[in-house]
Amino acid sequence: MGILSENKRAALLSVLFLLGVCLIWEFSIPAPKAAGELTEYELLTGGGQPKAGVPPPSQVIGKAWEQLSNPFYDAGPNDKGIGIQIGYSIYRVLTGYALAAVIAIPLGFLIGMSSVAYKALNPFIQVLRPISPLAWMPLALFVIQDSEASAIFVIFICSIWPMLINTAFGVAGVREDWVNVARTHELGALKTAFTVILPAAAPTIVTGMRISIGIAWLVIVAAEMLVGGTGIGYYVWNEWNNLDLTSVIFSILMIGIVGMLLDSLFGLLQRAVAYSE
Amino acid sequence: MGSSFLSIEKLSQRYPDGKGGEFTVFEDASFGIEKGEFVCILGHSGCGKSTIMNILAGLAEPSSGVVKMDGFAVSGPSLDRGVVFQNYSLLPWLSALKNVTFGVAARFPDWDKAKVIEHSTAFLAKVGLKGDTIHRKPSQLSGGMRQRVSIARAFANEPKLLLLDEPFGALDALTRGTIQDELIKVWSDTDQTVFMITHDIDEAILLADRILLMTNGPMARVAESVEITIPRPRNRAEIVEHPNYYAIRNHLVQFLSRGSTEVVASSEGANSPTTVRIDVESDAQAEAEPPAPRLLAVEG
């Protein structure tokens, strides 16, 4: 094994593991009986096999190929391509997330800079933060009266807390020396905020943003199952109602892949703002 | 005293002691610094050296007393008073060069970018940093190099007063030696007024025109102002050969180890420190045979 680098060995192992799992999955599903041998009742209940509904990986791969080769087709409200559904979800996540960032980061700055603001706002943050974002949904639907906007609101409310708390924490933790450097160079408040405090707190702030985007992506699936219409969450639920488990498994995989991509984008950003002392 | 470039008048610092009373760190500290002078302040930990430094920098407020520079009372931090902190205080997300240009751009806002970079690079070169090194981040530099960047940043700003807070405290002895040399080199090229805190007697003798001695805290005071009667340019190897060196050194060591209570008693009521001038060489010439080092106390 000395010829292969550590990364190559790990990649090889990953592929073997994936193949192994797929093979076990494929062969643990009994082949459906020929339709002629089934009674009418068995046909109606799905083939009379206990696991008849769970598709083997070969079918899922086939589905993925079919869906990904034409991701943006639109054949009516209940039949849209996976690309369109994911596009809707990403649009909602990014809108709600951007609104949250616009509020959380300046507010976090304020809380981090002023201990009075921190003490005044902390009780509210502590009460609001543990509320499950979906608990806001009925209220949002009633007040906003628009399911699309309500989903965005739910994303907004769930992604605001990690960003707010991390920004406040990062700003409060900026080393006194660096602030003194700004003071002895007669930098104004705004210039100090942008040239000293923001870069100093950036790693902590971006960590908060990364946690937030992860939570937002978790929550959008559940929110779309509730509000319906479009989006990857709605797609999963719709395919469940269609008893199309192949599509359900395929969309679960897609949720994971998109979540990973979003997270790694923030991983890149995190690396860009990191510094070592 | 009032005519000095920088005059510190009756400076006191008290903190509440947590039991309803007050704890006085130092009291009625008064001294002056002339333009272009290099003054070191020596004293045990806890006598309030760093507090005096922070007050001069404008980062702290004294309980009472004033600091006047060029005849005007000082309040708040200013670009006229540059500071080199003990822990370098470089911004770790900026390269060495950017750390210097950061200061230069703040000091000379009407300079264009090229001029700022040229000026900064020149000062980095003066402390021996050139080429690729200046584009590295502080974390990629050794402690000595970081302090060089910090010194370059302070000198490049050409402040009216440069404050050095134990700049070599965190460095090993060898590095300290080379950077002291760099510091002398940069300082002699400019007519910078420097006020420096140090714990190191030899460093103080090597660098300073005058050493201020503080008594132990609490209720510390600036008791003596010792002139360093060794001609410049000084050099680490040759300075120890000078007849005044050990006379001055002994005086300083004795002051610091005595705990300095007697000195307090003797200068009771006087606000300014007693000026002490030790010059074995001229005494020797005057009296033909070398006597024991003599102290000449002159009221300042």
Side-chain angles (χ1 to χ4, degrees):
Chain A
M1 279 308 220
I3 340 152
L4 293 176
S5 75
E6 191 175 286
N7 285 344
K8 280 180 186 157
R9 270 183 285 164
L12 191 67
L13 213 59
S14 289
V15 171
L16 286 176
F17 183 71
L18 180 67
L19 283 176
V21 169
C22 285
L23 282 175
I24 293 169
W25 177 9
E26 183 86 37
F27 289 108
S28 62
I29 291 164
K33 292 181 201 169
E37 299 168 25
L38 298 175
T39 65
E40 195 180 350
Y41 176 75
E42 280 176 326
L43 271 173
L44 281 172
T45 54
Q49 295 286 343
K51 290 175 190 163
V54 178
S58 52
Q59 270 184 40
V60 176
I61 292 165
K63 183 81 190 174
W65 181 257
E66 179 198 323
Q67 282 283 346
L68 291 175
S69 52
N70 184 16
F72 297 109
Y73 75 89
D74 187 352
N78 272 342
D79 193 10
K80 294 188 204 303
I82 188 80
I84 291 183
Q85 306 287 24
I86 288 178
Y88 273 111
S89 298
I90 290 179
Y91 155 72
R92 288 181 188 128
V93 162
L94 292 186
T95 312
Y97 182 82
L99 287 172
V102 165
I103 290 179
I105 293 173
L107 195 62
F109 247 80
L110 178 73
I111 297 175
M113 303 273 262
S114 143
S115 55
V116 176
Y118 173 78
K119 283 177 184 160
L121 292 175
N122 195 38
F124 300 105
I125 296 173
Q126 295 309 329
V127 169
L128 293 175
R129 192 171 59 107
I131 297 171
S132 164
L134 292 175
W136 293 97
M137 188 61 103
L139 188 63
L141 285 170
F142 178 76
V143 173
I144 304 174
Q145 306 220 330
D146 177 77
S147 62
E148 173 84 25
S150 300
I152 291 173
F153 172 78
V154 167
I155 296 305
F156 164 81
I157 204 80
C158 76
S159 45
I160 198 166
W161 308 117
M163 279 195 270
L164 181 65
I165 291 167
N166 266 45
T167 305
F169 184 72
V171 167
V174 171
R175 289 240 313 259
E176 182 93 35
D177 303 332
W178 301 336
V179 180
N180 281 344
V181 168
R183 292 180 63 197
T184 53
H185 286 88
E186 285 185 40
L187 299 189
L190 215 58
K191 192 125 195 252
T192 305
F194 279 105
T195 57
V196 176
I197 295 174
L198 188 63
T204 326
I205 296 175
V206 174
T207 305
M209 294 175 80
R210 196 176 179 180
I211 297 170
S212 279
I213 198 82
I215 293 176
W217 189 246
L218 290 179
V219 168
I220 193 65
V221 174
E224 284 170 346
M225 284 180 175
L226 281 174
V227 296
T230 47
I232 189 75
Y234 165 74
Y235 179 81
V236 175
W237 201 252
N238 193 37
E239 296 305 329
W240 160 241
N241 285 337
N242 294 341
L243 275 181
D244 183 356
L245 280 166
T246 317
S247 291
V248 168
I249 294 173
F250 166 64
S251 48
I252 288 174
L253 284 174
M254 288 310 292
I255 292 170
I257 289 167
V258 173
M260 184 187 76
L261 289 177
L262 285 175
D263 183 69
S264 52
L265 276 180
F266 279 87
L268 288 178
L269 184 60
Q270 212 169 18
R271 211 173 308 160
V273 298
Y275 58 83
S276 58
E277 283 179 40
Chain B
M1 289 298 284
S3 61
S4 296
F5 164 66
L6 179 80
S7 76
I8 285 89
E9 294 165 15
K10 296 198 150 203
L11 213 58
S12 303
Q13 185 67 283
R14 303 179 196 93
Y15 295 112
D17 62 2
K19 289 175 242 155
E22 276 189 330
F23 174 80
T24 305
V25 188
F26 55 82
E27 205 173 30
D28 281 349
S30 300
F31 56 92
I33 296 177
E34 299 307 322
K35 211 170 178 68
E37 229 185 345
F38 197 126
V39 175
C40 282
I41 188 159
L42 269 174
H44 289 274
S45 305
C47 70
K49 300 187 299 286
S50 291
T51 314
I52 290 185
M53 171 77 53
N54 282 337
I55 292 169
L56 291 182
L59 296 170
E61 286 288 321
S63 306
S64 64
V66 278
V67 176
K68 283 185 186 164
M69 193 161 85
D70 267 345
F72 294 99
V74 153
S75 75
S78 151
L79 280 163
D80 284 339
R81 280 161 281 129
V83 191
V84 174
F85 298 95
Q86 180 178 7
N87 45 18
Y88 327 129
S89 289
L90 298 174
L91 304 176
W93 55 89
L94 297 178
S95 68
L97 177 62
K98 289 263 175 65
N99 263 290
V100 180
T101 56
F102 170 88
V104 175
R107 176 70 172 169
F108 307 104
D110 47 341
W111 285 12
D112 63 27
K113 212 177 160 195
K115 190 165 183 199
V116 168
I117 291 177
E118 189 199 314
H119 184 79
S120 308
T121 318
F123 271 89
L124 281 163
K126 281 189 190 184
V127 291
L129 294 176
K130 351 183 138 126
D132 255 4
T133 325
I134 62 171
H135 298 295
R136 287 200 225 150
K137 299 269 170 75
S139 59
Q140 296 162 309
L141 299 171
S142 66
M145 284 177 170
R146 287 183 212 181
Q147 194 56 289
R148 283 191 172 115
V149 177
S150 186
I151 289 170
R153 179 173 67 187
F155 273 94
N157 271 4
E158 296 169 359
K160 289 183 182 167
L161 172 67
L162 183 59
L163 302 163
L164 306 174
D165 185 358
E166 277 186 63
F168 311 124
L171 302 177
D172 65 273
L174 290 175
T175 316
R176 190 183 300 187
T178 45
I179 301 188
Q180 283 164 357
D181 293 341
E182 308 275 8
L183 180 64
I184 295 181
K185 219 171 70 198
V186 187
W187 178 74
S188 48
D189 286 352
T190 60
D191 49 2
Q192 190 70 61
T193 314
V194 182
F195 181 73
M196 171 168 155
I197 294 184
T198 179
H199 272 135
D200 186 333
I201 292 175
D202 297 303
E203 177 175 288
I205 299 175
L206 176 67
L207 298 173
D209 294 318
R210 210 144 55 79
I211 297 178
L212 297 173
L213 291 170
M214 282 190 86
T215 61
N216 286 355
M219 307 281 276
R221 41 189 306 147
V222 181
E224 284 187 12
S225 159
V226 181
E227 281 180 36
I228 307 303
T229 47
I230 300 173
R232 295 185 188 267
R234 297 177 197 151
N235 166 308
R236 165 182 333 287
E238 288 162 16
I239 190 174
V240 291
E241 312 274 341
H242 196 277
N244 289 350
Y245 183 81
Y246 279 102
I248 294 170
R249 196 177 190 284
N250 289 344
H251 178 75
L252 298 176
V253 170
Q254 274 168 22
F255 178 95
L256 292 171
S257 56
R258 252 192 336 248
S260 50
T261 35
E262 309 148 46
V263 187
V264 176
S266 70
S267 62
E268 198 72 63
N271 283 326
S272 34
T274 318
T275 301
V276 177
R277 185 183 164 83
I278 303 168
D279 197 344
V280 183
E281 210 170 40
S282 59
D283 289 350
Q285 281 161 1
E287 297 179 22
E289 62 183 61
R294 224 169 55 176
L295 302 185
L296 291 172
V298 184
E299 207 61 45

